[in-house]
Amino acid sequence: MRIHLITIFPEFFTSPLGCGVMRIAQEKKLTEVVTVNLRDFATDTYRTVDDYPFGGFPGMILKPEPIFRAVESVKQDNSYVILLSPQGRTLNQDIVNELSQKEHIVMICGRYKGVDERVREHLINDEISIGDYVLSGGEAASLALIEAITRLLPGVVGDKESVASDSFISGLLDAPYYTRPQDFRGYKVPEVLVSGNHQKVKEWRDEQAMKLTKEKRPDLIKKLKD
Ligand code: ADE
C-alpha cells in the first residue's frame, strides 16, 4: 500500500514512521509512506497556505489551491483521498478493515479552523475523525489511522493469530492476559491458565471477553446483536 500525507508539518512524522510496525512495514516494502509539504504547492512567494474565512469569522482556513495542487501531484486512478477532520465518520475497526484494502491512500491533514469547503465538495472520497474531540490538526489522527491499517496488512505482524484475537476484530474486547511470574507479590494468575487444558482455557477466555465487553463496552454487544 502507498500512502501520501499532505501536511504543513512533514517533520511531525519522522520519528513515529521510524518505529514499530510502521517502520517494519516500510522496510519490508509492504507500505510506502511519503510526506508532501503543503507549502510546496502554495502559489505565492510567502508560501501561504491559509487565509481568513469569508464572512468575517475568527480563525484561519486552509486555502483550496495548495491542497488541490498537492493532491493532484500524487493522485492516480486507484487513489482514495481522505480528509482527517473532526467532522468525518468516526474511525472504528470496520472502517480500518475497509481502508486496509485500498492500494493508494492520500491523507490530507487539516489545520487551523479547517479547510475550504470546496476540498470537501470536490476533492475527497472520504472524511475520517478519530474521535469526538478536537486536535490542532489531522497529523496525529493520520498517524493513528496509518498504524491501525498497517498492522492489518498481510506480512506486517508475523503472528496472524495475534491480530485475529485483537479487541474489536471479533466484535468484542480481548480477554485479559498474564505473563510470568505466576505469583507476583501474592497476586496470582488465574488457575485455569496454567492448567494446560486448552479447551478450558478457551472457554475461560471467551467468557472473560464477553464479561469485559458487557462491563466496559455494552454498545459493542448491542452492535453484535443488530
Ligand atoms: N483534526 C482535528 N481533530 C480531529 C479529529 N478528532 N480527528 C481527525 N482529524 C482531526
Side-chain angles (χ1 to χ4, degrees):
M1 171 183 290
R2 289 191 319 127
I3 298 172
H4 278 93
L5 284 163
I6 297 177
T7 173
I8 58 166
F9 293 128
E11 65 277 17
F12 190 99
F13 296 93
T14 314
S15 168
L17 290 175
C19 300
V21 290
M22 295 194 277
R23 177 177 65 82
I24 292 167
Q26 289 174 96
E27 281 175 3
K28 289 186 178 173
K29 306 252 179 280
L30 298 168
T31 57
E32 186 195 354
V33 185
V34 181
T35 54
V36 177
N37 190 340
L38 185 62
R39 287 196 193 280
D40 292 346
F41 295 87
T43 48
D44 64 337
T45 43
Y46 301 104
R47 297 169 37 103
T48 311
V49 291
D50 59 332
D51 205 341
Y52 296 99
F54 282 117
F57 302 99
M60 301 294 272
I61 304 297
L62 283 176
K63 290 160 65 63
E65 312 96 300
I67 300 184
F68 272 74
R69 292 175 64 191
V71 170
E72 283 158 7
S73 76
V74 294
K75 200 173 164 193
Q76 289 169 353
D77 290 344
N78 62 355
S79 305
Y80 193 73
V81 183
I82 300 176
L83 172 66
L84 279 310
S85 115
Q87 295 181 22
R89 47 185 188 139
T90 313
L91 190 61
N92 60 29
Q93 193 64 45
D94 289 340
I95 298 177
V96 176
N97 292 346
E98 173 195 323
L99 297 177
S100 71
Q101 306 297 318
K102 305 286 180 201
E103 289 171 10
H104 179 215
I105 297 182
V106 182
M107 297 187 190
I108 305 169
C109 303
R111 272 275 149 183
Y112 310 116
K113 277 300 275 178
V115 298
D116 186 286
E117 193 63 18
R118 286 163 290 190
V119 168
R120 241 178 224 110
E121 290 167 348
H122 303 291
L123 189 63
I124 62 173
N125 300 110
D126 203 347
E127 188 171 3
I128 299 283
S129 162
I130 61 162
D132 291 341
Y133 44 85
V134 179
L135 301 165
S136 296
E139 282 78 6
S142 67
L143 276 175
L145 179 55
I146 295 174
E147 177 153 326
I149 291 174
T150 301
R151 58 195 310 290
L152 293 184
L153 300 176
V156 173
V157 176
D159 189 346
K160 267 197 222 143
E161 276 184 33
S162 169
V163 171
S165 68
D166 280 346
S167 288
F168 307 112
I169 298 269
S170 64
L172 297 177
L173 298 181
D174 199 0
Y177 292 95
Y178 297 84
T179 183
R180 279 174 288 205
Q182 202 173 323
D183 184 337
F184 170 65
R185 299 183 178 175
Y187 308 135
K188 305 232 170 51
V189 172
E191 216 36 65
V192 58
L193 293 179
V194 289
S195 67
N197 183 331
H198 296 300
Q199 182 56 32
K200 281 259 164 355
V201 171
K202 186 181 176 313
E203 283 166 19
W204 181 86
R205 291 191 56 77
D206 290 348
E207 265 166 43
Q208 292 292 315
M210 185 54 83
K211 181 165 164 270
L212 268 183
T213 312
K214 274 187 184 150
E215 278 167 19
K216 295 188 180 174
R217 293 294 305 273
D219 57 304
L220 293 178
I221 308 267
K222 190 172 171 299
K223 202 173 140 200
L224 269 186
K225 287 183 181 153
D226 289 346

